Amino acid sequence: MPSSDLLLPSATETLTTVSGKRRTQRWWTRSNRARPVKLARSDYALRGISYVFITFFSLFCLLPFVLILSASFSSESAIRESGFGLFPKDFTLDAYEYIFAAPQQILGSYIVTITMTVTGTAVGLIIIAMTGYALFRQDFRFRNQITFFIYFTTLFSAGLAPTFLWVSRTLGLRGSYLAVWLPLLMTPWLIILMKNFMRTVPYEVIESGKVDGAGDFRIFWQLTLPMMKPALATVGLFLALGYWNEWYLSSLYLGSTVEFKPLQYYLYNIINTANALRNSVAGSNVSITDLPSNTLKMASAVLATGPILLAYPYVQRYFVSGITVGAVKG
């Protein structure tokens, strides 16, 4: 069969003129455009069941947050008598009024926590990304030894007492925010995660930068760093959660030496104060039925988790690809 017979008539006729070329191009585009695949009834049924299951599972996961929010606006007596519910019982703001009794303290705690979270996340991302990049470079002689040293710290640690003495006496950071800020700046597991992600970056990108005469820092900043967005979002989320939820180091190194405590430690002290007050007057004739206890815990949970929940959707699309990268090695 001649090769001309294989061409469609409409295509051969329109190759002679400019307008014919445009019509041929449009016809070729329409004919090769992806068409939706027609699904069978079983496929539609499976999709419907999957959507219903995911919807109920999402509502089931959302239920604890609804209970916490409704309990924070309920009275202590209503919760003690009838328990928690999806809607507030005997609506009141006593728990929030108890927390915001000193508005300057709660505002200062928010400022301290937000400042530590933003600065710690930004600086930690740069350090962890540069460390992962250095350990990824094949021309770095001691990368295997340093990787083993970092991994070794995940298995064994010096313990609480030596760490406390080192931070408070040797470094002299007791009573300083740096005693809380510095230990959370780098985490061995996050360094290993970043290093594993760097394996997905083609090494030819680094070699092309060297051929063009770029230095190591320029290759990292302009070529490698833009390709690390999923890992940066994932590591940044873990760093932000670590700084935002931190209270234990604050109780060790800060205590009452600073005016404004981190948010989690401040709320922790409020709950402990309320429980101590309740226990101290339990055997006396003083009525403490209106003193918030359970509602105070729920209100503290709302204030502590609310801002970080609002930030999570912005990095959620990078989270799955960042956390699973490097899991499969070829």
Short mmCIF file of all heavy atoms in Angstrom, two decimals, residues 167-220:
data_model
loop_
_atom_site.label_atom_id
_atom_site.label_comp_id
_atom_site.label_asym_id
_atom_site.label_seq_id
_atom_site.Cartn_x
_atom_site.Cartn_y
_atom_site.Cartn_z
N VAL A 167 23.77 22.02 79.93
CA VAL A 167 23.07 23.22 79.47
C VAL A 167 23.10 24.32 80.53
O VAL A 167 23.36 25.49 80.24
CB VAL A 167 21.61 22.88 79.08
CG1 VAL A 167 20.83 24.15 78.78
CG2 VAL A 167 21.59 21.95 77.89
N SER A 168 22.85 23.94 81.79
CA SER A 168 22.71 24.95 82.85
C SER A 168 24.06 25.45 83.37
O SER A 168 24.24 26.65 83.61
CB SER A 168 21.89 24.38 83.99
OG SER A 168 22.51 23.23 84.54
N ARG A 169 25.06 24.56 83.54
CA ARG A 169 26.33 24.96 84.13
C ARG A 169 27.41 25.25 83.08
O ARG A 169 28.04 26.31 83.11
CB ARG A 169 26.82 23.88 85.09
CG ARG A 169 25.94 23.71 86.32
CD ARG A 169 26.56 22.72 87.30
NE ARG A 169 25.72 22.55 88.50
CZ ARG A 169 26.04 21.76 89.52
NH1 ARG A 169 27.19 21.08 89.49
NH2 ARG A 169 25.24 21.66 90.56
N THR A 170 27.60 24.31 82.18
CA THR A 170 28.67 24.50 81.19
C THR A 170 28.34 25.64 80.23
O THR A 170 29.17 26.53 79.99
CB THR A 170 28.91 23.20 80.41
OG1 THR A 170 29.18 22.14 81.33
CG2 THR A 170 30.09 23.36 79.46
N LEU A 171 27.15 25.59 79.66
CA LEU A 171 26.75 26.64 78.72
C LEU A 171 26.17 27.87 79.42
O LEU A 171 26.13 28.95 78.84
CB LEU A 171 25.72 26.08 77.72
CG LEU A 171 26.19 24.93 76.83
CD1 LEU A 171 25.07 24.49 75.91
CD2 LEU A 171 27.42 25.33 76.02
N GLY A 172 25.71 27.70 80.66
CA GLY A 172 25.16 28.83 81.40
C GLY A 172 23.89 29.38 80.80
O GLY A 172 23.66 30.60 80.84
N LEU A 173 23.03 28.52 80.28
CA LEU A 173 21.81 28.98 79.60
C LEU A 173 20.56 28.82 80.45
O LEU A 173 19.45 29.05 79.95
CB LEU A 173 21.62 28.19 78.30
CG LEU A 173 22.68 28.41 77.22
CD1 LEU A 173 22.39 27.54 76.01
CD2 LEU A 173 22.78 29.87 76.83
N ARG A 174 20.69 28.43 81.69
CA ARG A 174 19.50 28.30 82.52
C ARG A 174 18.88 29.68 82.77
O ARG A 174 19.56 30.63 83.14
CB ARG A 174 19.84 27.63 83.85
CG ARG A 174 18.60 27.30 84.68
CD ARG A 174 18.94 26.58 85.95
NE ARG A 174 17.74 26.20 86.66
CZ ARG A 174 17.71 25.60 87.85
NH1 ARG A 174 18.85 25.31 88.45
NH2 ARG A 174 16.57 25.28 88.40
N GLY A 175 17.58 29.75 82.56
CA GLY A 175 16.89 31.03 82.66
C GLY A 175 16.88 31.81 81.37
O GLY A 175 16.39 32.95 81.34
N SER A 176 17.37 31.23 80.28
CA SER A 176 17.40 31.89 78.98
C SER A 176 16.55 31.10 78.00
O SER A 176 16.47 29.86 78.06
CB SER A 176 18.83 32.00 78.45
OG SER A 176 18.84 32.51 77.14
N TYR A 177 15.91 31.81 77.08
CA TYR A 177 15.10 31.14 76.05
C TYR A 177 15.95 30.28 75.13
O TYR A 177 15.42 29.36 74.50
CB TYR A 177 14.33 32.17 75.22
CG TYR A 177 13.27 32.90 76.00
CD1 TYR A 177 13.36 34.26 76.24
CD2 TYR A 177 12.15 32.23 76.49
CE1 TYR A 177 12.37 34.94 76.94
CE2 TYR A 177 11.15 32.89 77.19
CZ TYR A 177 11.27 34.24 77.42
OH TYR A 177 10.30 34.90 78.12
N LEU A 178 17.24 30.55 75.05
CA LEU A 178 18.12 29.73 74.22
C LEU A 178 18.21 28.30 74.72
O LEU A 178 18.48 27.39 73.94
CB LEU A 178 19.52 30.35 74.16
CG LEU A 178 19.66 31.67 73.40
CD1 LEU A 178 21.08 32.19 73.51
CD2 LEU A 178 19.25 31.49 71.94
N ALA A 179 17.99 28.08 76.00
CA ALA A 179 18.03 26.73 76.54
C ALA A 179 16.90 25.88 75.98
O ALA A 179 16.99 24.64 75.94
CB ALA A 179 17.94 26.77 78.07
N VAL A 180 15.82 26.50 75.55
CA VAL A 180 14.70 25.79 74.92
C VAL A 180 14.84 25.83 73.41
O VAL A 180 14.49 24.87 72.72
CB VAL A 180 13.36 26.41 75.36
CG1 VAL A 180 12.18 25.69 74.72
CG2 VAL A 180 13.24 26.38 76.88
N TRP A 181 15.36 26.93 72.88
CA TRP A 181 15.41 27.13 71.43
C TRP A 181 16.48 26.28 70.76
O TRP A 181 16.23 25.68 69.71
CB TRP A 181 15.67 28.61 71.16
CG TRP A 181 15.53 29.02 69.74
CD1 TRP A 181 14.37 29.24 69.05
CD2 TRP A 181 16.60 29.27 68.82
NE1 TRP A 181 14.65 29.61 67.77
CE2 TRP A 181 16.01 29.64 67.59
CE3 TRP A 181 17.99 29.23 68.92
CZ2 TRP A 181 16.76 29.97 66.47
CZ3 TRP A 181 18.74 29.54 67.80
CH2 TRP A 181 18.13 29.91 66.60
N LEU A 182 17.65 26.17 71.36
CA LEU A 182 18.75 25.47 70.72
C LEU A 182 18.57 23.95 70.64
O LEU A 182 18.86 23.35 69.60
CB LEU A 182 20.07 25.80 71.45
CG LEU A 182 20.61 27.21 71.24
CD1 LEU A 182 21.86 27.43 72.08
CD2 LEU A 182 20.92 27.46 69.77
N PRO A 183 18.12 23.26 71.72
CA PRO A 183 18.00 21.80 71.61
C PRO A 183 17.01 21.33 70.55
O PRO A 183 17.15 20.21 70.03
CB PRO A 183 17.54 21.37 73.02
CG PRO A 183 18.01 22.45 73.91
CD PRO A 183 17.89 23.71 73.11
N LEU A 184 16.03 22.15 70.22
CA LEU A 184 15.04 21.75 69.22
C LEU A 184 15.41 22.16 67.82
O LEU A 184 14.65 21.89 66.88
CB LEU A 184 13.67 22.37 69.58
CG LEU A 184 13.09 21.98 70.94
CD1 LEU A 184 11.81 22.74 71.20
CD2 LEU A 184 12.84 20.48 71.01
N LEU A 185 16.57 22.79 67.66
CA LEU A 185 16.94 23.34 66.37
C LEU A 185 17.23 22.25 65.35
O LEU A 185 16.91 22.40 64.16
CB LEU A 185 18.16 24.25 66.52
CG LEU A 185 18.43 25.26 65.41
CD1 LEU A 185 17.26 26.20 65.25
CD2 LEU A 185 19.71 26.04 65.71
N MET A 186 17.85 21.17 65.79
CA MET A 186 18.19 20.06 64.89
C MET A 186 17.77 18.75 65.53
O MET A 186 17.97 18.54 66.73
CB MET A 186 19.68 20.04 64.57
CG MET A 186 20.17 21.23 63.77
SD MET A 186 21.91 21.10 63.35
CE MET A 186 21.89 19.70 62.24
N THR A 187 17.21 17.88 64.72
CA THR A 187 16.80 16.55 65.16
C THR A 187 17.45 15.52 64.24
O THR A 187 17.35 15.66 63.00
CB THR A 187 15.27 16.40 65.13
OG1 THR A 187 14.69 17.44 65.93
CG2 THR A 187 14.85 15.05 65.68
N PRO A 188 18.10 14.50 64.76
CA PRO A 188 18.77 13.52 63.89
C PRO A 188 17.83 12.89 62.88
O PRO A 188 18.20 12.67 61.72
CB PRO A 188 19.33 12.50 64.89
CG PRO A 188 19.50 13.26 66.16
CD PRO A 188 18.38 14.25 66.19
N TRP A 189 16.62 12.58 63.32
CA TRP A 189 15.69 11.93 62.39
C TRP A 189 15.34 12.84 61.22
O TRP A 189 15.20 12.38 60.08
CB TRP A 189 14.43 11.52 63.15
CG TRP A 189 13.44 10.83 62.27
CD1 TRP A 189 13.50 9.55 61.81
CD2 TRP A 189 12.23 11.39 61.73
NE1 TRP A 189 12.40 9.27 61.02
CE2 TRP A 189 11.62 10.38 60.97
CE3 TRP A 189 11.61 12.63 61.84
CZ2 TRP A 189 10.41 10.59 60.31
CZ3 TRP A 189 10.41 12.83 61.19
CH2 TRP A 189 9.82 11.82 60.42
N LEU A 190 15.20 14.14 61.46
CA LEU A 190 14.90 15.08 60.37
C LEU A 190 16.09 15.22 59.42
O LEU A 190 15.90 15.40 58.21
CB LEU A 190 14.51 16.44 60.95
CG LEU A 190 13.23 16.46 61.79
CD1 LEU A 190 12.95 17.87 62.29
CD2 LEU A 190 12.05 15.94 60.99
N ILE A 191 17.30 15.14 59.95
CA ILE A 191 18.48 15.18 59.08
C ILE A 191 18.52 13.96 58.18
O ILE A 191 18.81 14.05 56.97
CB ILE A 191 19.76 15.29 59.93
CG1 ILE A 191 19.77 16.59 60.72
CG2 ILE A 191 21.00 15.19 59.04
CD1 ILE A 191 20.95 16.72 61.65
N ILE A 192 18.22 12.79 58.74
CA ILE A 192 18.19 11.57 57.93
C ILE A 192 17.08 11.64 56.88
O ILE A 192 17.26 11.21 55.73
CB ILE A 192 18.01 10.35 58.85
CG1 ILE A 192 19.23 10.20 59.78
CG2 ILE A 192 17.81 9.08 58.03
CD1 ILE A 192 19.07 9.11 60.82
N LEU A 193 15.93 12.20 57.26
CA LEU A 193 14.84 12.37 56.30
C LEU A 193 15.25 13.29 55.16
O LEU A 193 14.98 13.00 53.98
CB LEU A 193 13.61 12.93 57.03
CG LEU A 193 12.38 13.22 56.16
CD1 LEU A 193 11.83 11.92 55.57
CD2 LEU A 193 11.31 13.94 56.96
N MET A 194 15.92 14.38 55.47
CA MET A 194 16.37 15.29 54.43
C MET A 194 17.42 14.65 53.54
O MET A 194 17.42 14.84 52.31
CB MET A 194 16.92 16.56 55.07
CG MET A 194 17.29 17.66 54.09
SD MET A 194 15.87 18.35 53.21
CE MET A 194 15.06 19.22 54.56
N LYS A 195 18.32 13.89 54.14
CA LYS A 195 19.34 13.21 53.34
C LYS A 195 18.71 12.20 52.39
O LYS A 195 19.14 12.07 51.23
CB LYS A 195 20.33 12.52 54.27
CG LYS A 195 21.41 11.70 53.58
CD LYS A 195 22.35 11.07 54.58
CE LYS A 195 23.39 10.19 53.87
NZ LYS A 195 22.73 9.00 53.26
N ASN A 196 17.72 11.46 52.85
CA ASN A 196 17.05 10.50 51.98
C ASN A 196 16.30 11.19 50.84
O ASN A 196 16.23 10.67 49.73
CB ASN A 196 16.08 9.64 52.79
CG ASN A 196 16.78 8.69 53.72
OD1 ASN A 196 17.94 8.32 53.49
ND2 ASN A 196 16.12 8.29 54.79
N PHE A 197 15.75 12.37 51.13
CA PHE A 197 15.08 13.09 50.06
C PHE A 197 16.07 13.57 49.00
O PHE A 197 15.74 13.61 47.81
CB PHE A 197 14.32 14.29 50.63
CG PHE A 197 13.65 15.12 49.56
CD1 PHE A 197 12.42 14.75 49.06
CD2 PHE A 197 14.27 16.26 49.06
CE1 PHE A 197 11.82 15.50 48.08
CE2 PHE A 197 13.66 17.02 48.08
CZ PHE A 197 12.43 16.64 47.58
N MET A 198 17.26 13.93 49.42
CA MET A 198 18.25 14.41 48.47
C MET A 198 18.63 13.35 47.45
O MET A 198 19.13 13.68 46.37
CB MET A 198 19.50 14.88 49.22
CG MET A 198 19.32 16.16 50.01
SD MET A 198 18.89 17.55 48.97
CE MET A 198 20.28 17.59 47.87
N ARG A 199 18.38 12.09 47.77
CA ARG A 199 18.68 11.03 46.80
C ARG A 199 17.79 11.10 45.58
O ARG A 199 18.14 10.57 44.52
CB ARG A 199 18.54 9.66 47.47
CG ARG A 199 19.55 9.40 48.59
CD ARG A 199 19.31 8.04 49.22
NE ARG A 199 20.27 7.79 50.30
CZ ARG A 199 20.27 6.69 51.05
NH1 ARG A 199 19.35 5.74 50.85
NH2 ARG A 199 21.17 6.55 52.01
N THR A 200 16.62 11.73 45.70
CA THR A 200 15.72 11.87 44.56
C THR A 200 16.14 13.01 43.65
O THR A 200 15.61 13.13 42.54
CB THR A 200 14.29 12.11 45.05
OG1 THR A 200 14.22 13.35 45.78
CG2 THR A 200 13.83 10.98 45.96
N VAL A 201 17.04 13.87 44.08
CA VAL A 201 17.54 14.96 43.24
C VAL A 201 18.62 14.41 42.32
O VAL A 201 19.59 13.82 42.80
CB VAL A 201 18.10 16.11 44.12
CG1 VAL A 201 18.66 17.22 43.25
CG2 VAL A 201 17.01 16.65 45.03
N PRO A 202 18.49 14.57 41.02
CA PRO A 202 19.52 14.04 40.11
C PRO A 202 20.89 14.67 40.38
O PRO A 202 21.01 15.89 40.50
CB PRO A 202 19.00 14.43 38.72
CG PRO A 202 17.53 14.66 38.91
CD PRO A 202 17.37 15.19 40.30
N TYR A 203 21.88 13.83 40.49
CA TYR A 203 23.23 14.35 40.76
C TYR A 203 23.76 15.11 39.55
O TYR A 203 24.71 15.90 39.68
CB TYR A 203 24.17 13.19 41.10
CG TYR A 203 25.45 13.64 41.77
CD1 TYR A 203 25.44 14.01 43.10
CD2 TYR A 203 26.65 13.69 41.06
CE1 TYR A 203 26.61 14.43 43.73
CE2 TYR A 203 27.82 14.10 41.68
CZ TYR A 203 27.79 14.47 43.01
OH TYR A 203 28.94 14.90 43.63
N GLU A 204 23.17 14.91 38.38
CA GLU A 204 23.61 15.65 37.20
C GLU A 204 23.35 17.14 37.34
O GLU A 204 24.00 17.95 36.69
CB GLU A 204 22.89 15.13 35.95
CG GLU A 204 23.32 13.74 35.51
CD GLU A 204 22.72 12.63 36.37
OE1 GLU A 204 21.85 12.96 37.20
OE2 GLU A 204 23.14 11.47 36.22
N VAL A 205 22.36 17.51 38.20
CA VAL A 205 22.10 18.93 38.44
C VAL A 205 23.31 19.58 39.08
O VAL A 205 23.72 20.69 38.72
CB VAL A 205 20.84 19.09 39.32
CG1 VAL A 205 20.63 20.55 39.69
CG2 VAL A 205 19.61 18.55 38.59
N ILE A 206 23.91 18.90 40.05
CA ILE A 206 25.10 19.44 40.72
C ILE A 206 26.27 19.47 39.75
O ILE A 206 27.05 20.45 39.71
CB ILE A 206 25.44 18.59 41.95
CG1 ILE A 206 24.27 18.63 42.95
CG2 ILE A 206 26.72 19.06 42.62
CD1 ILE A 206 24.45 17.74 44.15
N GLU A 207 26.42 18.43 38.93
CA GLU A 207 27.52 18.41 37.97
C GLU A 207 27.37 19.50 36.92
O GLU A 207 28.37 20.12 36.50
CB GLU A 207 27.60 17.04 37.31
CG GLU A 207 27.98 15.92 38.26
CD GLU A 207 28.00 14.56 37.58
OE1 GLU A 207 27.44 14.47 36.46
OE2 GLU A 207 28.57 13.62 38.16
N SER A 208 26.14 19.78 36.50
CA SER A 208 25.93 20.85 35.53
C SER A 208 26.27 22.20 36.13
O SER A 208 26.80 23.09 35.45
CB SER A 208 24.48 20.84 35.04
OG SER A 208 23.59 21.12 36.12
N GLY A 209 25.97 22.38 37.41
CA GLY A 209 26.35 23.63 38.07
C GLY A 209 27.85 23.78 38.15
O GLY A 209 28.40 24.89 37.99
N LYS A 210 28.56 22.69 38.42
CA LYS A 210 30.03 22.75 38.45
C LYS A 210 30.59 23.10 37.08
O LYS A 210 31.55 23.87 36.97
CB LYS A 210 30.59 21.41 38.91
CG LYS A 210 30.37 21.11 40.39
CD LYS A 210 31.03 19.80 40.76
CE LYS A 210 30.89 19.51 42.24
NZ LYS A 210 31.54 18.22 42.63
N VAL A 211 29.99 22.53 36.02
CA VAL A 211 30.47 22.83 34.67
C VAL A 211 30.29 24.30 34.34
O VAL A 211 31.15 24.93 33.68
CB VAL A 211 29.73 21.94 33.65
CG1 VAL A 211 30.06 22.37 32.22
CG2 VAL A 211 30.10 20.48 33.84
N ASP A 212 29.20 24.89 34.81
CA ASP A 212 28.95 26.31 34.57
C ASP A 212 29.75 27.22 35.48
O ASP A 212 29.63 28.45 35.39
CB ASP A 212 27.46 26.62 34.73
CG ASP A 212 26.62 25.91 33.67
OD1 ASP A 212 27.18 25.60 32.61
OD2 ASP A 212 25.42 25.69 33.92
N GLY A 213 30.55 26.65 36.37
CA GLY A 213 31.40 27.44 37.23
C GLY A 213 30.76 27.92 38.51
O GLY A 213 31.30 28.83 39.17
N ALA A 214 29.64 27.34 38.91
CA ALA A 214 28.96 27.75 40.14
C ALA A 214 29.65 27.11 41.34
O ALA A 214 30.15 25.98 41.27
CB ALA A 214 27.49 27.36 40.10
N GLY A 215 29.65 27.84 42.47
CA GLY A 215 30.21 27.31 43.70
C GLY A 215 29.23 26.41 44.42
O GLY A 215 28.06 26.26 44.02
N ASP A 216 29.69 25.79 45.50
CA ASP A 216 28.85 24.85 46.24
C ASP A 216 27.61 25.54 46.82
O ASP A 216 26.51 25.00 46.75
CB ASP A 216 29.66 24.20 47.35
CG ASP A 216 30.73 23.25 46.80
OD1 ASP A 216 30.52 22.74 45.68
OD2 ASP A 216 31.74 23.04 47.49
N PHE A 217 27.80 26.70 47.41
CA PHE A 217 26.66 27.38 48.01
C PHE A 217 25.67 27.83 46.95
O PHE A 217 24.45 27.76 47.17
CB PHE A 217 27.13 28.59 48.83
CG PHE A 217 26.03 29.26 49.59
CD1 PHE A 217 25.55 28.71 50.77
CD2 PHE A 217 25.45 30.42 49.12
CE1 PHE A 217 24.52 29.33 51.48
CE2 PHE A 217 24.42 31.04 49.81
CZ PHE A 217 23.96 30.50 50.99
N ARG A 218 26.13 28.29 45.81
CA ARG A 218 25.21 28.70 44.75
C ARG A 218 24.46 27.51 44.18
O ARG A 218 23.29 27.61 43.85
CB ARG A 218 26.00 29.43 43.65
CG ARG A 218 25.10 30.05 42.59
CD ARG A 218 25.89 30.89 41.61
NE ARG A 218 25.02 31.52 40.64
CZ ARG A 218 25.45 32.31 39.65
NH1 ARG A 218 26.76 32.56 39.53
NH2 ARG A 218 24.59 32.84 38.80
N ILE A 219 25.15 26.38 44.04
CA ILE A 219 24.46 25.16 43.57
C ILE A 219 23.37 24.76 44.55
O ILE A 219 22.25 24.40 44.15
CB ILE A 219 25.48 24.02 43.38
CG1 ILE A 219 26.44 24.35 42.23
CG2 ILE A 219 24.78 22.70 43.12
CD1 ILE A 219 27.55 23.34 42.07
N PHE A 220 23.69 24.83 45.83
CA PHE A 220 22.68 24.47 46.84
C PHE A 220 21.52 25.45 46.83
O PHE A 220 20.36 25.04 46.87
CB PHE A 220 23.34 24.45 48.22
CG PHE A 220 22.36 24.41 49.36
CD1 PHE A 220 21.68 23.25 49.68
CD2 PHE A 220 22.12 25.56 50.11
CE1 PHE A 220 20.76 23.23 50.72
CE2 PHE A 220 21.21 25.55 51.16
CZ PHE A 220 20.53 24.38 51.46
#
